[in-house]
Amino acid sequence: MQFHAALCLLLLAPGLLLSQEKKPKAPFQPIAVVALERKEPVAYEKDIEPILIHKCQFCHSGPVKEGKFDMGTYEQLVKGGKRGPALVAGKSPESLLVKVAGRTKRPFMPPKGEDPLTPQELALIKLWIDQGAKAPSGQREHTRIILSLLPATVHPVRALAISPDNSTIVAGRGNQIHVFDAGSGTYVRTLIDPALKAPDNKPLHAAHFAIVESLACSPEGKYIASGSFQEVILWDAQTGVLRKRLGGFADRVVALGFSPNGKLLATGGGTPTQDGEIKIFDVPTGNLVTEIKNGHSDTVFGVSFSPDGTKLATCAADKFVKVFDVPSGKFVKAFEGHTHHVLDVAWKADGKVLASAGADNVIKVWDYDKGEQLRTFGNHNKQITRLVFKGKTAEVLTCSGDQTVRLWNVDNGGAGTTFGGGQDYLYAVGVSPDGKVVAAGGEEGVVRLYNGANGQLIKALLPPGVVTAAKK
């Protein structure tokens, strides 16, 4: 009877009649009911919270709380949202969480396009509720990561930066950082942490113990920032001397961005499937200014200050692009539309438009003021790993796992020059402010220097003493 009434309302509503050519959408299927053979009690922090983080919290935690339902903590989960309490302890069949997650009551959760709970995950949540939905007895245990020495054969180029005066290219290769002359490609110097030791206590001639994940040059040309596992280092751009070490990170620091005046440094990273890390540091002192907690529910892959320095755009594996106030860290707005990890984000020079790209292989352009998507374009065959605007123009360069670097116009989605020659997955791309110098690198361990005007390959840049890239 309810179905009949709903169908009549749909047919009578103006403007909702569908053409005969369109096929009806396939209905959602309820999650299969399975029995669990389990003797030990279900623990929230060990068994339930990881499911919620992976499947639910990107829409129900931090600044984004669909249906006014926050699942970021046990207390907020139990409280429920605008539809009432999420669960009834001891009674899983009566619990709203079980109904919407099991897809027997709308609105289904997660929504269409997201991975639903598996039958085993749903059964575990039901059992936890039936056992009384007990609160966590402690914090969820995180696996401690112990690094081993990086093998000599592992040397991906994960990060690149070009100095604001167009003079140098800074490239991470494995745990090394090399500086090259941007005009000729000539090797200039290697950045070395003098305190770095190998496990046998011998000096380790490298910038970091682990892989260099991110690089950025300060706009006034004074500093080079490099990010790696649980640390960021600030180097003197003119001498290569280590100036400051920033710590306190949970995992890899995969994104760095200086404010337009060079006084602040934003970092992005975090442990996969857990809260993404966003921190803002005062560059002159190295002090932490702001830590944006619960900004994203997964690793943050991109950070970008607005042209006026008052806002910070971020993107993450939770598929969101978000904007926060600087320096307070207060959430401003979110942009939703990517269907996979968002791997980079950048502001257009006018401060009115954002561009983002990621593992769904496309570029999305957003109207900041309206909070709306303007367009989606791009024809990379694999995920877009980095995106950077060319100076103050409407053009962006992207690099991808499909081994290419491409130029696009965000105002109309038009494609321009393709920079070829890559032999493996590309992770990093950089462009000088005037657009004359383009550099790219990836898994192959080679940095390729291009003429930004015509895409012509100028030179393949390798560290001193390396004649050709090592073959895998």
Side-chain angles (χ1 to χ4, degrees):
M1 196 70 183
Q2 289 178 344
F3 174 78
H4 179 72
L7 182 61
C8 290
L9 286 172
L10 177 63
L11 293 175
L12 290 172
L16 292 180
L17 290 174
L18 301 178
S19 65
Q20 294 181 353
E21 290 80 5
K22 291 186 178 180
K23 296 181 180 180
K25 295 181 180 179
F28 281 94
Q29 296 297 322
I31 305 300
V33 176
V34 299
L36 285 183
E37 295 183 4
R38 183 185 175 104
K39 296 181 179 179
E40 68 274 16
V42 180
Y44 174 82
E45 66 272 25
K46 179 182 178 182
D47 302 307
I48 304 304
E49 188 179 23
I51 298 174
L52 302 182
I53 289 174
H54 184 58
K55 295 290 180 71
C56 307
Q57 285 190 7
F58 58 84
C59 288
H60 297 282
S61 67
V64 180
K65 303 178 184 68
E66 297 290 345
K68 298 182 179 179
F69 185 22
D70 191 340
M71 304 173 76
T73 67
Y74 169 82
E75 291 77 16
Q76 292 163 329
L77 170 66
V78 172
K79 181 180 178 182
K82 70 178 184 181
R83 292 180 175 84
L87 52 89
V88 181
K91 300 179 180 180
S92 65
E94 299 178 20
S95 297
L96 181 62
L97 177 63
V98 171
K99 294 176 182 178
V100 297
R103 298 193 169 184
T104 60
K105 180 181 177 65
R106 293 185 183 273
F108 299 147
M109 187 180 72
K112 185 178 181 181
E114 307 291 342
D115 294 331
L117 268 63
T118 66
Q120 291 73 24
E121 289 171 337
L122 180 63
L124 198 60
I125 291 174
K126 291 171 65 177
L127 183 57
W128 171 66
I129 294 174
D130 289 335
Q131 290 178 353
K134 294 180 180 179
S137 56
Q139 291 187 343
R140 183 160 57 100
E141 294 183 2
H142 301 315
T143 303
R144 183 183 177 189
I145 300 175
I146 300 176
L147 296 179
S148 58
L149 189 63
L150 197 66
T153 56
V154 176
H155 46 67
V157 175
R158 293 273 180 86
L160 284 169
I162 298 179
S163 62
D165 64 358
N166 302 351
S167 64
T168 57
I169 295 171
V170 185
R173 187 176 189 263
N175 58 6
Q176 305 279 329
I177 297 176
H178 303 287
V179 181
F180 301 89
D181 179 84
S184 63
T186 304
Y187 165 78
V188 177
R189 68 172 62 91
T190 297
L191 305 186
I192 295 175
D193 177 0
L196 206 56
K197 303 288 185 181
D200 59 4
N201 209 37
K202 292 182 179 179
L204 186 62
H205 299 288
H208 294 273
F209 192 85
I211 291 175
V212 179
E213 302 282 356
S214 51
L215 286 168
C217 292
S218 62
E220 81 292 344
K222 186 175 181 179
Y223 292 106
I224 296 168
S226 62
S228 186
F229 182 74
Q230 296 185 338
E231 70 174 3
V232 170
I233 291 178
L234 290 174
W235 310 83
D236 188 299
Q238 302 304 314
T239 65
V241 174
L242 191 155
R243 292 302 184 192
K244 292 182 179 66
R245 189 190 308 275
L246 311 178
F249 301 97
D251 204 276
R252 299 173 302 148
V253 179
V254 296
L256 292 168
F258 282 96
S259 61
N261 62 10
K263 294 181 178 180
L264 299 176
L265 175 69
T267 69
T271 307
T273 74
Q274 299 177 21
D275 283 348
E277 275 193 324
I278 309 167
K279 297 185 179 185
I280 301 175
F281 293 87
D282 177 76
V283 174
T285 64
N287 294 333
L288 179 65
V289 174
T290 305
E291 180 175 4
I292 302 174
K293 296 183 179 294
N294 302 314
H296 288 275
S297 61
D298 209 332
T299 304
V300 174
F301 288 110
V303 294
S304 178
F305 281 96
S306 60
D308 63 3
T310 64
K311 296 177 285 291
L312 181 72
T314 62
C315 63
D318 62 7
K319 307 174 188 176
F320 278 95
V321 172
K322 297 184 180 181
V323 177
F324 301 89
D325 178 72
V326 176
S328 70
K330 182 180 178 180
F331 171 73
V332 179
K333 62 180 64 178
F335 300 87
E336 183 179 3
H338 280 284
T339 58
H340 213 309
H341 296 3
V342 191
L343 299 178
D344 212 354
V345 62
W347 292 86
K348 189 181 174 186
D350 60 11
K352 297 179 180 180
V353 170
L354 284 159
S356 59
D360 51 8
N361 306 358
V362 298
I363 301 160
K364 289 184 178 290
V365 183
W366 313 90
D367 183 309
Y368 173 73
D369 291 330
K370 294 181 180 180
E372 299 175 353
Q373 184 179 156
L374 292 174
R375 60 188 58 86
T376 297
F377 58 93
N379 59 354
H380 279 290
N381 297 321
K382 291 186 179 179
Q383 66 184 43
I384 299 172
T385 49
R386 284 295 169 194
L387 172 152
V388 58
F389 270 95
K390 188 177 78 172
K392 296 183 178 181
T393 72
E395 294 179 313
V396 293
L397 278 124
T398 57
C399 66
S400 166
D402 66 9
Q403 305 178 13
T404 64
V405 173
R406 299 186 184 185
L407 185 68
W408 314 87
N409 189 305
V410 300
D411 286 347
N412 55 29
T417 307
T418 296
F419 302 78
Q423 301 298 313
D424 209 330
Y425 201 101
L426 294 180
Y427 295 113
V429 64
V431 58
S432 61
D434 62 6
K436 294 181 179 180
V437 178
V438 172
E443 190 65 26
E444 185 187 3
V446 177
V447 176
R448 287 183 169 81
L449 177 62
Y450 299 93
N451 182 315
N454 56 25
Q456 180 181 355
L457 177 65
I458 297 173
K459 191 175 183 179
L461 310 182
L462 293 169
V466 178
V467 179
T468 59
K471 301 295 183 181
K472 292 190 175 184

